[in-house]
Amino acid sequence: MTRNLVRFVLALSAAAMVATAAPRAAGPLKVVTTTTDLGSLATEIGGDKVKVNSLALGNQDPHFVDAKPSFMALLSQADLLIVVGRELEIGWLPALINQARNAKIQLGANVYLDASLSAKILDIPTGPVTRAEGDVHPQGNPHYWLDPGNGRIMAQDIRDKFSQLDPANKAYYAQRYADFDQRLAAAEKRWDAAMAPFKGTKLVTYHRSWPNLMERWGLDVIGYVEPKPGIPPSPSHTIDLIGEMKRQNIKLIVVEPYFETKTPQSIASQVGGQVLVLPSSVGGASDATDYIKLFDHDVAAISAALGQAQRK
Ligand SMILES: [Zn+2]
């Protein structure tokens, strides 16, 4: 089905089911998030007033998630669905939503929260983009959670949505947000200080997952192991990339945990550089257990790798 047709069918089924939507049962809000990052933010804000389940694992490619039978049970009972949006989940989520037959979480419904609506989105295409070219980022870069500034904005949207669905606990959600905001601000000071020495450093990443993180700390990504987002490496692109890294004396290749490391390792060995496997989501490394700890891990790993390269 074309994307427009999918949207049309989703809208139709939502319209058909809205009339039968049941009021929310007592007890914690049942929140389903597509990713663990959204799950962590929802837990920060919701505390014990919400029950959060995330569909994708933190070490899975969020563009391509295999549906598990458990997803259907979670979606059919959810009071709220929070998605990353920008078509990150378009390859796997629309069919699940349709099959879950839960009027509450249909696209455009009141309890479907697209976390990208207020966040700062980079890489918004200026010309037409089609998926036929393999580009999996046709609506701007969907990896925007990898900037703590966006995490704060997403947490605000989640606070507002929880308050709207569960107004009796509005003050509780506001207090949880204020606490998170304070801890995030303190952590940002740490991260900014750790990354300051590396401003302007050039590097390569596997997928275009990191523009928000790199912009935040002034790092310059000059190329990708993938020829295009979603397209596997090709020999000719790899040769070009090796040439460019040699010309610009670039020594670091950042790889998301769900990609093969054979190509990046081979590139690194030819340029005398190194590969850094970096979690891009909560749960992508054993110590990246929540949103703030994800950045603790990534900032420590990037600054250690770049510090080591500078000392060489
Ligand atoms: Zn992507």
Side-chain angles (χ1 to χ4, degrees):
M1 280 200 287
T2 66
R3 202 180 305 150
N4 282 340
L5 187 54
V6 170
R7 287 207 177 113
F8 178 67
V9 170
L10 284 177
L12 267 189
S13 44
M17 282 186 283
V18 156
T20 57
R24 191 171 80 76
L29 270 179
K30 290 194 279 295
V31 179
V32 175
T33 69
T34 53
T35 67
T36 51
D37 311 288
L38 293 171
S40 175
L41 293 172
T43 303
E44 290 280 9
I45 305 307
D48 59 10
K49 307 295 182 202
V50 301
K51 189 170 183 334
V52 180
N53 281 288
S54 303
L55 301 179
L57 300 172
N59 57 4
Q60 263 183 318
D61 184 342
H63 289 286
F64 307 101
V65 175
D66 287 328
K68 288 192 263 179
S70 60
F71 290 3
M72 203 56 68
L74 291 171
L75 287 169
S76 63
Q77 291 161 26
D79 294 313
L80 171 64
L81 173 63
I82 309 178
V83 305
V84 173
R86 301 281 155 171
E87 300 204 352
L88 181 78
E89 302 101 336
I90 199 165
W92 55 279
L93 187 65
L96 288 174
I97 293 179
N98 216 13
Q99 289 164 40
R101 304 210 148 268
N102 177 350
K104 293 196 279 187
I105 57 161
Q106 300 298 317
L107 184 65
N110 186 32
V111 285
Y112 177 102
L113 176 60
D114 180 336
S116 76
L117 294 179
S118 312
K120 178 179 182 183
I121 305 297
L122 301 175
D123 301 342
I124 292 181
T126 47
V129 180
T130 70
R131 288 200 165 236
E133 300 169 329
D135 198 328
V136 293
H137 297 165
Q139 290 191 356
N141 195 289
H143 304 274
Y144 59 86
W145 69 86
L146 286 164
D147 172 352
N150 271 343
R152 177 176 286 106
I153 294 169
M154 294 154 77
Q156 289 164 3
D157 279 1
I158 291 170
R159 173 200 61 195
D160 294 347
K161 182 56 83 176
F162 286 177
S163 304
Q164 182 195 342
L165 296 175
D166 178 25
N169 287 309
K170 191 175 174 185
Y172 176 83
Y173 300 131
Q175 185 273 321
R176 301 267 314 178
Y177 169 76
D179 178 68
F180 172 70
D181 175 44
Q182 212 168 49
R183 282 181 288 119
L184 186 65
E188 283 178 294
K189 278 192 187 141
R190 275 196 323 265
W191 301 329
D192 290 349
M195 294 297 274
F198 307 109
K199 212 163 256 181
T201 306
K202 293 175 178 176
L203 70 160
V204 162
T205 71
Y206 198 110
H207 179 74
R208 207 180 170 95
S209 302
W210 312 92
N212 293 84
L213 183 143
M214 299 301 172
E215 186 187 85
R216 163 75 191 224
W217 286 303
L219 302 180
D220 188 6
V221 181
I222 64 98
Y224 306 92
V225 177
E226 287 180 332
K228 264 185 186 177
I231 299 292
S234 67
S236 66
H237 175 74
T238 300
I239 289 166
D240 289 348
L241 185 62
I242 291 168
E244 198 53 41
M245 289 181 74
K246 282 182 175 166
R247 252 192 308 282
Q248 300 200 44
N249 194 30
I250 291 162
K251 303 290 189 192
L252 184 63
I253 306 173
V254 166
V255 179
E256 299 79 353
Y258 40 84
F259 288 117
E260 50 91 21
T261 50
K262 206 175 142 214
T263 313
Q265 289 291 2
S266 140
I267 296 170
S269 72
Q270 293 188 60
V271 302
Q274 63 163 319
V275 169
L276 175 65
V277 176
L278 204 60
S280 44
S281 279
V282 170
S286 57
D287 60 347
T289 49
D290 65 30
Y291 187 78
I292 289 178
K293 290 194 178 109
L294 171 66
F295 288 97
D296 279 337
H297 179 106
D298 285 357
V299 166
I302 296 172
S303 54
L306 292 178
Q308 198 187 339
Q310 277 184 355
R311 282 193 299 275
K312 270 189 184 162

